[in-house]
Amino acid sequence: MSELLSALDELAAIDLDELSPDGLLDLVAGLVTATNRMTAAVTRAVRAADRREAYDRDGAVSMKAWLRGSCRMDPAEATATVSTGRRLEQLPATAAAFADGAISAAHARVITKAMTPRRIAQAAEAGIDLDVTDSILADLARATAPNETGRGVAQWVAGVDPDGALDDAADTRRRFTMAPGLDGREHLRGEMDSVGGEYLHTALAALMNGDRPAGDPRGHAERQADALVALAKGALDGGTLPDVRGERPHVRVTIDWMALCAERGAPGVTGGRLAWAGPITPETARRLACDAGVARIITGPDGLPLDVGRAQRTASAAIRRAVELRDEHCVFAGCDALPEWCDVHHVVHWAHGGPTSCDNGALLCERHHTCCHEGGFTIRRDPGTGRWHTYRPDGTEVLSRAGP
Ligand SMILES: [Zn+2]
Ligand SMILES: [Zn+2]
């Protein structure tokens, strides 16, 4: 192990700028193979510890739990490592290709995932030799990318498990997880049966395609994610969700009074906090407290709540309707997102004395509401012409590319 570590130290000391392009490519290819070999070694060691229940020494309930707890491994990664290690024991050719570094963990997973004990038993009944299958798939994995290997694996599955497709159709299990990633963003993962997927697609498609603004630069994945958030916001605003502890469910932001009143980017200001997502910047907290059905808890210098309750500043339904009628769409330069996608922004934040009124309100889509709070953009309405103007953080005006 110490030799391996000193080899890694030498590797880290290489001056990459001194390598020729060919030298760099050789290095990358060599490292990919070495990484595959290392991952194979980890998988094999995990399997040995799993078989001998070594995790018990540290009081963990399973090898997966130990990997998560002691190695801080991602849960899905831990599950995959343990199960790949188990199944590779029956697949010597695939295990050898992995150990040589000729195939990656992704290849090994594609193969082992399909090789359930039930299918292996079915293959044996049908007279299909497991060793032959193992060699064929290992060769395929050596020559192709994991997704292509997956197609070969699917052919094997269709051969040994013709009912499998039917079983898959009868499988109505659904799973969906959300977890904060290392980057502080929320990571979604899951799968569901086709009927559940159909419901979700139908609802999301309605939100995505209903009235797409002209020149919308968002890609499919981005629009689908926005639609999912809109679905949740709509359900929260619509008041159709079951009560939680006797209260209508709503998003709740905790923000320090000083942070609420501070100027954008002021130093030494602590941010706010969301119940699920945790810490957020003061700018994001101010945006959430600006409008929408967001409840806020404002804390004093001692961290104790000064003011608790549903936001009074939420534009009342009548004011919102008036602002919608006047603005018709997001007022940010060049945006024509429709009112259902918009918040009513306080042009002068209520923390700075801005009233909740039609005059002080402006329709902003979520993206542009973020631009105005987190991004430092400002919007102003010319009382003479009634036209909205958008200014960059440096004070220059963003000229609308659509219309006069
Ligand atoms: Zn706002
Ligand atoms: Zn907008």
Side-chain angles (χ1 to χ4, degrees):
M1 201 62 198
S2 67
E3 282 169 39
L4 183 60
L5 292 179
S6 45
L8 287 175
D9 287 338
E10 276 173 44
L11 183 69
I14 294 178
D15 184 354
L16 297 178
D17 292 337
E18 288 200 345
L19 291 180
S20 66
D22 274 342
L24 264 177
L25 295 181
D26 285 343
L27 178 67
V28 171
L31 285 175
V32 168
T33 304
T35 304
N36 291 344
R37 293 190 65 176
M38 285 294 293
T39 315
V42 171
T43 308
R44 222 162 64 88
V46 163
R47 176 56 192 142
D50 179 36
R51 195 183 329 102
R52 289 163 55 184
E53 299 182 357
Y55 48 80
D56 195 43
R57 293 271 299 160
D58 283 0
V61 295
S62 66
M63 199 54 206
K64 181 187 162 188
W66 185 87
L67 287 169
R68 291 177 60 180
S70 297
C71 298
R72 300 182 307 283
M73 195 183 270
D74 173 73
E77 181 77 17
T79 307
T81 307
V82 171
S83 103
T84 303
R86 284 181 189 163
R87 293 192 181 166
L88 277 178
E89 287 189 329
Q90 284 184 283
L91 306 167
T94 304
F98 193 16
D100 288 349
I103 69 171
S104 68
H107 290 101
R109 279 172 198 177
V110 158
I111 295 173
T112 54
K113 214 176 155 199
M115 295 279 183
T116 60
R118 191 180 69 124
R119 285 179 183 150
I120 289 175
Q122 278 171 320
E125 270 174 40
I128 299 171
D129 190 90
L130 183 60
D131 287 343
V132 173
T133 307
D134 176 32
S135 304
I136 292 173
L137 292 180
D139 285 346
L140 180 63
R142 283 175 192 271
T144 59
N147 61 338
E148 217 171 309
T149 307
R151 283 198 277 277
V153 172
Q155 276 177 11
W156 176 82
V157 171
V160 300
D161 188 14
D163 297 337
L166 212 58
D167 286 355
D168 286 348
D171 185 354
T172 55
R173 277 176 305 164
R174 297 166 185 166
R175 48 180 291 283
F176 171 65
T177 58
M178 289 176 64
L182 297 176
D183 46 7
R185 295 168 64 79
E186 205 71 30
H187 292 243
L188 279 59
R189 192 194 290 266
E191 59 181 296
M192 63 179 71
D193 62 301
S194 51
V195 174
E198 188 71 14
Y199 275 102
L200 206 50
H201 271 301
T202 308
L204 294 181
L207 287 163
M208 286 163 73
N209 302 327
D211 292 288
R212 192 174 176 191
D216 186 353
R218 296 171 304 159
H220 177 80
E222 212 177 332
R223 287 193 295 129
Q224 187 149 280
D226 285 348
L228 190 61
V229 175
L231 194 63
K233 276 178 104 169
L236 286 167
D237 293 345
T240 52
L241 298 175
D243 285 359
V244 179
R245 288 184 290 277
E247 250 192 305
R248 264 183 63 184
H250 49 256
V251 171
R252 192 191 299 273
V253 59
T254 304
I255 182 170
D256 179 75
W257 174 248
M258 297 298 286
L260 194 57
C261 301
E263 289 303 318
R264 182 177 171 275
V269 174
T270 52
R273 188 162 190 75
L274 291 174
W276 291 98
I280 49 173
T281 65
E283 286 74 22
T284 304
R286 279 200 287 273
R287 168 163 59 87
L288 285 174
C290 180
D291 183 2
V294 173
R296 74 243 176 299
I297 301 172
I298 295 163
T299 52
D302 48 8
L304 294 174
L306 289 176
D307 182 13
V308 180
R310 199 174 173 80
Q312 312 292 310
R313 316 300 186 270
T314 298
S316 75
I319 292 171
R320 180 172 177 111
R321 258 196 309 279
V323 174
E324 282 183 1
L325 270 173
R326 185 196 62 204
D327 292 341
E328 295 177 343
H329 53 76
C330 173
V331 302
F332 202 92
C335 184
D336 53 8
L338 290 160
E340 55 264 38
W341 293 93
C342 292
D343 294 333
V344 178
H345 168 64
H346 285 67
V347 178
V348 178
H349 201 286
W350 53 264
H352 295 129
T356 297
S357 64
C358 189
D359 265 355
N360 193 40
L363 276 191
L364 283 177
C365 70
E366 201 177 354
R367 169 184 307 268
H368 290 133
H369 201 188
T370 306
C371 284
C372 286
H373 285 273
E374 285 93 327
F377 282 79
T378 45
I379 52 161
R380 232 170 292 144
R381 193 163 145 270
D382 184 325
T385 63
R387 213 178 271 289
W388 284 98
H389 297 269
T390 305
Y391 301 91
R392 297 186 185 87
D394 63 12
T396 57
E397 182 167 4
V398 181
L399 294 172
S400 174
R401 274 158 240 258

